[in-house]
Amino acid sequence: MTIVARMRAAGCVFAEDEAALLEATARDAADLERMVRLRVDGLPLEHVLGWVQFAGRRYVIGPGVFVPRPRTEFLVREAALIVAPGAVVLDLCCGSGAVGAALAEAIGAAELHASDADPVAVACARNNVDNVYEGDLFDPLPRSLMGRVDLLVVIAPYVPTDAIPLLPHEARDFEPRATLDGGADGLAVLRRLLEAARRWLAPEGILVTEVSERQVPALVGLVTAAGLEPRVIRDNDLDATVVVGRHTIGRYV
Ligand SMILES: C[S@@+](CC[C@H](N)C(=O)[O-])C[C@H]1O[C@@H](n2cnc3c(N)ncnc32)[C@H](O)[C@@H]1O
């Protein structure tokens, strides 16, 4: 059986495209066979390849790390429009680090810091970003960043616990639960993060995050309660919903 036929039989919808990527990435025939077997066994394509294409660039990724979603490119484009070059960028819950790296590149950031609670994600992100810290939310960050963050980007786990069984099997079976599960309403991690966000943002600094459309009213309430001025941006084609919170200290809104 050809590689395409094996992958089609395993349920890969884009078997031809995926086979071409595996062939282009494999070091030799044995490596190609290893990759095809992993993919046929259901491992996400990006985990098999060892890289993910995001916002026009390739970033290192591996098993056990959340795969950045194409819809998040919308957040990168929108944030790049509202943050000036030379910004200090912090990517919390960074996973592979691709989102922060893409943003820093798009903005022309002066500094990029990233952190994640999962050591596997942190090890992966260190391939893509220089300043990566390991720990819960803001805990591992250098205190010198407090009040200096111009752009705080966070794609936290935001799937409500009850909705986890409805996710595609590649997410359910191959992405750690802690990368997906946002608690009863999907906002548990964001809720904790927002309690501290203002202390880390620079005056006029902004927080950008992504949630589902259904979560917007609750999240806008949390952003407002955190002392940030909320704004919602939506792309229907990508089914992407971005919530922005601006730190407006020192000026009337
Ligand atoms: C949905 S994934 C997003 C990863 C990355 N931002 C992206 O979009 O590709 C959420 C990430 O949050 C991390 N995470 C979950 N709870 C955390 C916490 N309390 N503190 C820091 N990171 C956390 C997970 O390890 C995971 O990498």
Side-chain angles (χ1 to χ4, degrees):
M1 233 201 275
T2 65
I3 290 175
V4 171
R6 285 167 69 191
M7 292 178 60
R8 200 173 286 135
C12 299
V13 180
F14 303 105
E16 283 88 356
D17 294 344
E18 292 197 7
L21 285 171
L22 295 182
E23 281 165 352
T25 303
R27 288 185 300 276
D28 52 33
D31 196 35
L32 179 60
E33 178 57 23
R34 178 191 65 81
M35 290 172 117
V36 172
R37 283 193 187 171
L38 289 172
R39 184 63 186 130
V40 164
D41 285 346
L43 199 69
L45 177 68
E46 293 81 359
H47 289 170
V48 177
L49 291 170
W51 53 265
V52 57
Q53 186 82 19
F54 183 77
R57 290 214 169 205
R58 282 186 185 183
Y59 296 96
V60 172
I61 196 153
V65 180
F66 182 89
V67 178
R69 304 300 199 254
R71 73 161 63 89
T72 304
E73 293 180 358
F74 175 65
L75 174 148
V76 171
R77 282 196 296 276
E78 290 296 319
L81 293 175
I82 49 181
V83 178
V88 174
V89 176
L90 171 60
D91 181 4
L92 274 195
C93 299
C94 68
S96 66
V99 176
L103 262 169
E105 163 91 15
I107 289 166
E111 281 177 50
L112 169 62
H113 303 263
S115 84
D116 200 284
D118 182 351
V120 179
V122 168
C124 174
R126 288 195 168 129
N127 293 291
N128 299 315
V129 176
D130 285 338
N131 306 309
V132 188
Y133 314 93
E134 180 184 326
D136 182 55
L137 299 180
F138 298 96
D139 284 357
L141 298 171
R143 302 288 112 175
S144 55
L145 263 185
M146 267 191 166
R148 290 186 53 235
V149 176
D150 298 304
L151 174 62
L152 169 54
V153 56
V154 51
I155 315 289
Y158 64 83
V159 182
T161 305
D162 286 354
I164 300 271
L166 309 176
L167 291 174
H169 94 92
E170 286 188 0
R172 265 184 292 117
D173 297 342
F174 294 102
E175 290 178 321
R177 179 124 187 165
T179 70
L180 305 168
D181 193 342
D185 64 354
L187 299 176
V189 177
L190 279 168
R191 191 174 280 112
R192 277 203 303 123
L193 180 146
L194 277 162
E195 284 168 11
R198 222 162 79 114
R199 289 200 290 280
W200 293 83
L201 285 172
E204 303 290 331
I206 69 164
L207 170 145
V208 279
T209 189
E210 180 189 281
V211 283
S212 75
E213 212 176 1
R214 198 172 316 129
Q215 293 166 316
V216 164
L219 182 57
V220 164
L222 292 172
V223 168
T224 308
L228 306 177
E229 180 189 22
R231 187 157 70 91
V232 181
I233 320 172
R234 167 94 188 144
D235 183 308
N236 287 326
D237 293 338
L238 290 170
D239 187 22
T241 306
V242 169
V243 175
V244 179
R246 185 180 291 273
H247 187 352
T248 55
I249 193 165
R251 75 176 167 92
Y252 294 102
V253 291

